């Protein structure tokens, strides 16, 4: 299984370097992986491995150099590709911490009801916010703060999250 960590957004210079957008919390963290797996957007093909010789911050962005890519035309061929790594290559997290991709798809419930399914997560600065698709069709998305006070339990094995949160539509 793969995790998307960024995408290639252009070329940089004439020696085959690419510009990329990193999705990692600290953008330079994408550079700690020696092998990336590249895949075209919406492709069902198996991602292709490529060795990363160098990856660094450059101004407000990131640039990288691949093994065997030595000119601008070769680098241009990678434009738009998704940057993936194997999930097994991600560093382990301390107990009680999770990668966002582990939380997407979990069923969220409070003490009384199933609320919905985690669709995405927003980074707001103060705390992350879970964006849940309601179990009731036609209802708006439900936003739940991802804090220790609200999130009571995460069970990845069962695919569930228990929260202390009562969406206003449940109070009708």
């Amino acid at each position: 299984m793969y995790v998307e960590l960024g995408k290639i957004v252009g070329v940089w210079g004439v020696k085959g370097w690419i510009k990329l957008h990193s999705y990692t919390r600290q953008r330079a963290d994408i550079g700690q992986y020696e092998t990336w797996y590249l895949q075209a957007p919406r492709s069902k093909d198996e991602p292709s491995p490529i060795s990363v010789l160098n990856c660094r911050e450059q101004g407000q962005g990131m640039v990288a150099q691949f093994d065997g890519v030595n000119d601008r035309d070769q680098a241009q061929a990678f434009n738009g590709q998704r940057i993936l790594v194997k999930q097994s290559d991600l560093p382990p997290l301390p107990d009680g911490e999770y990668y966002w991709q582990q939380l997407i798809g979990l069923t969220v419930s409070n003490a009384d009801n199933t609320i919905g399914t985690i669709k995405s997560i927003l980074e707001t600065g103060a705390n992350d916010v879970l964006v849940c698709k309601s179990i009731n069709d036609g209802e708006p998305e439900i936003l739940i703060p991802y804090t220790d006070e609200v999130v009571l339990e995460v069970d990845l094995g069962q695919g569930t999250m228990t929260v202390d949160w009562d969406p206003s539509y449940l109070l009708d």
Side-chain angles (χ1 to χ4, degrees):
M1 179 171 202
Y2 297 95
V3 177
E4 186 171 355
L5 294 186
K7 72 177 182 176
I8 298 172
V9 296
V11 296
W12 186 74
V14 296
K15 295 186 178 180
W17 287 63
I18 55 102
K19 289 193 294 188
L20 64 111
H21 179 75
S22 173
Y23 302 152
T24 58
R25 187 166 295 234
Q26 301 297 320
R27 69 179 177 184
D29 286 350
I30 196 169
Q32 67 183 296
Y33 302 95
E34 294 177 4
T35 302
W36 291 346
Y37 297 83
L38 303 181
Q39 185 181 51
R42 296 180 292 280
S43 173
K44 301 295 183 197
D45 294 339
E46 186 69 16
S48 302
I50 193 155
S51 294
V52 180
L53 297 179
N54 197 339
C55 182
R56 67 173 192 250
E57 294 184 75
Q58 180 67 38
Q60 296 298 313
M62 296 286 301
V63 296
Q65 178 185 31
F66 297 144
D67 187 26
V69 178
N70 301 311
D71 67 47
R72 187 176 183 88
D73 291 335
Q74 288 176 308
Q76 183 64 38
F78 296 103
N79 199 24
Q81 300 268 323
R82 299 167 56 218
I83 300 170
L84 311 166
V85 297
K86 288 185 176 179
Q87 186 171 340
S88 60
D89 290 341
L90 295 173
L93 294 174
D95 286 342
E97 291 188 23
Y98 306 94
Y99 287 107
W100 282 12
Q101 52 90 16
Q102 292 177 294
L103 301 177
I104 305 297
L106 294 183
T107 299
V108 179
S109 302
N110 62 19
D112 302 315
N113 300 295
T114 298
I115 296 172
T117 304
I118 300 173
K119 185 172 120 179
S120 62
I121 302 173
L122 300 173
E123 187 174 6
T124 64
N127 58 265
D128 296 333
V129 175
L130 305 170
V131 179
C132 296
K133 180 182 183 318
S134 173
I135 60 167
N136 300 319
D137 287 336
E139 292 284 340
E141 292 175 335
I142 301 158
L143 303 178
I144 302 173
Y146 186 65
T147 64
D148 291 339
E149 296 79 27
V150 174
V151 177
L152 303 177
E153 180 183 27
V154 175
D155 187 334
L156 297 178
Q158 294 292 317
T160 61
M161 177 184 287
T162 306
V163 297
D164 183 12
W165 191 253
D166 192 12
S168 61
Y169 79 88
L170 293 175
L171 299 175
D172 290 347

